[in-house]
Amino acid sequence: MTDHTRVLIIGSGPAGLTAAIYTGRALLNPIVIEGEPSSTTDQPGGQLMLTTDIENFPGFPESITGPELMARMREQAKRFGADLRVSKVHKVDATSRPFRAWLTDDVEPSITADSVILATGARSMMLNVPGEERLYSHGLSTCATCDGFFFRGQDIAVVGGGDSAIEEATFLTRFASSVTLIHRRDSLRASKIMQERAMINEKIKFAWNSKVTEVLGEERVEGVRLEDTVTGETRVLPITGIFIAIGHIPNTTLVTDLLPLDEAGYVKTSHGSYTNIDGLFAAGDVQDHEYRQAITSAGSGCMAALDADKFLESME
């Protein structure tokens, strides 16, 4: 059996679920493909499922955990009629309308849709060293804006050498006693103005020619083991927090041959969430490489829902 929907939403992070809430309230009966729990790129709920306390999402003055926030969004989407399915889209055909989607293990398409909202998000590049996975959200983070507040008066570190790493380190000096920037080389890749800001900041220290080989600590980060990339010598840097800022990878495998991507691999959109295919919209971190916040993803999901509704009205 093939199910048909006015709107197919691929992804269930803040962008996907906000799009589901809006299209549900518009009586479009959206189908939301949430992803699979075992997947690293299509996890239901997105990156917030790996986040502990969130203090900057409007409406929660006492903070809220990432999983709880996504659970509330999910229930709100269901309340307005969204059909949420724990599965994964492994192929989309947008060459003709209605669009067709193949789910996990499908031989034939199991869903057709008049419009599609792509909200598959992005994932942070990680170090892939011992201790990293275990201590994620326990002193190890990939978002200074999200978690910097929790490190007041502490000695912490940032891994990376580009503009993003400098931005993270500079932002974290508002809270931390010191921020050590760990970089594999003896010079930064960041723009000159960013480098100058870091160099004159008294709270920022540098661990040149260093790479992290292990994140230390049982229940929380207690330090990192560093290896000198020139001499091979190792040492332990005692810190209570570490931020990974070596880049993000948008989850665009599904549309690599379908939509134009920018040089960083993000989906190109215009006038909000419009792609170059009529009826196919993109929202959230899959097309945003600048802000990458839960609230901006949610706003982007709202825009995509309104754009899809307008498109469907024009079709009628």
Side-chain angles (χ1 to χ4, degrees):
M1 292 288 292
T2 301
D3 293 330
H4 181 75
T5 180
R6 305 299 307 283
V7 182
L8 172 64
I9 301 171
I10 306 174
S12 59
L17 290 181
T18 301
I21 292 167
Y22 272 78
T23 53
R25 290 186 75 250
L27 304 179
L28 296 176
N29 302 313
I31 292 177
V32 182
I33 306 303
E34 297 187 83
E36 295 177 331
S38 60
S39 174
T40 57
T41 60
D42 299 283
Q43 181 181 16
Q47 294 185 79
L48 287 191
M49 296 302 290
L50 301 173
T51 304
T52 50
D53 291 337
I54 299 172
E55 296 194 322
N56 56 4
F57 199 93
F60 299 96
E62 301 303 322
S63 84
I64 186 172
T65 68
E68 185 182 0
L69 177 61
M70 299 321 298
R72 291 194 183 192
M73 283 190 177
R74 192 176 187 276
E75 289 304 311
Q76 193 172 2
K78 288 174 65 177
R79 175 191 168 197
F80 293 117
D83 179 356
L84 290 94
R85 304 183 184 185
V86 179
S87 187
K88 180 179 179 179
V89 177
H90 70 84
K91 181 182 176 182
V92 172
D93 181 1
T95 57
S96 61
R97 195 170 289 107
F99 301 141
R100 299 184 297 164
W102 286 255
L103 302 186
T104 306
D105 300 326
D106 279 354
V107 177
E108 297 294 329
S110 55
I111 297 177
T112 58
D114 296 324
S115 63
V116 170
I117 295 176
L118 183 72
T120 48
R123 62 192 185 279
S124 299
M125 295 177 67
M126 304 300 287
L127 300 172
N128 297 317
V129 298
E132 181 181 51
E133 185 176 351
R134 183 180 75 255
L135 294 170
Y136 193 97
S137 291
H138 296 281
L140 188 148
S141 173
T142 58
C143 179
T145 308
C146 310
D147 299 327
F149 178 82
F150 301 111
F151 294 87
R152 285 185 177 276
Q154 299 182 37
D155 296 315
I156 61 177
V158 173
V159 182
D163 281 355
S164 294
I166 300 299
E167 287 176 7
E168 299 268 281
T170 303
F171 177 82
L172 289 167
T173 58
R174 302 181 187 182
F175 312 103
S177 293
S178 70
V179 180
T180 300
L181 195 67
I182 302 170
H183 189 43
R184 299 172 63 95
R185 301 176 181 83
D186 59 2
S187 61
L188 299 171
R189 294 180 289 105
S191 59
K192 275 197 175 302
I193 188 169
M194 295 300 294
Q195 292 189 43
E196 290 172 0
R197 289 175 184 172
M199 296 295 181
I200 64 174
N201 194 313
E202 295 180 352
K203 285 189 174 183
I204 296 180
K205 306 174 183 178
F206 297 90
W208 301 112
N209 296 321
S210 299
K211 68 177 182 179
V212 176
T213 58
E214 185 179 3
V215 183
L216 306 173
E218 290 301 319
E219 296 183 359
R220 290 197 60 82
V221 171
E222 297 175 3
V224 290
R225 193 179 308 281
L226 300 180
E227 178 183 314
D228 191 299
T229 57
V230 178
T231 66
E233 295 180 358
T234 63
R235 65 185 178 97
V236 171
L237 176 68
I239 52 172
T240 54
I242 180 170
F243 290 77
I244 313 300
I246 56 176
H248 289 76
I249 304 173
N251 298 323
T252 53
T253 305
L254 190 62
V255 295
T256 300
D257 299 324
L258 195 63
L259 296 174
L261 310 178
D262 66 16
E263 59 184 15
Y266 291 82
V267 174
K268 289 183 177 181
T269 55
S270 61
H271 306 293
S273 65
Y274 287 85
T275 69
N276 69 324
I277 296 179
D278 290 341
L280 179 53
F281 306 90
D285 285 5
V286 75
Q287 55 86 47
D288 169 27
H289 54 76
E290 185 170 353
Y291 301 104
R292 294 194 296 265
Q293 299 295 304
I295 189 65
T296 53
S297 288
S300 179
C302 166
M303 294 163 62
L306 297 177
D307 290 340
D309 188 26
K310 187 184 301 182
F311 167 78
L312 293 170
E313 283 187 4
S314 70
M315 291 293 293
E316 293 174 355

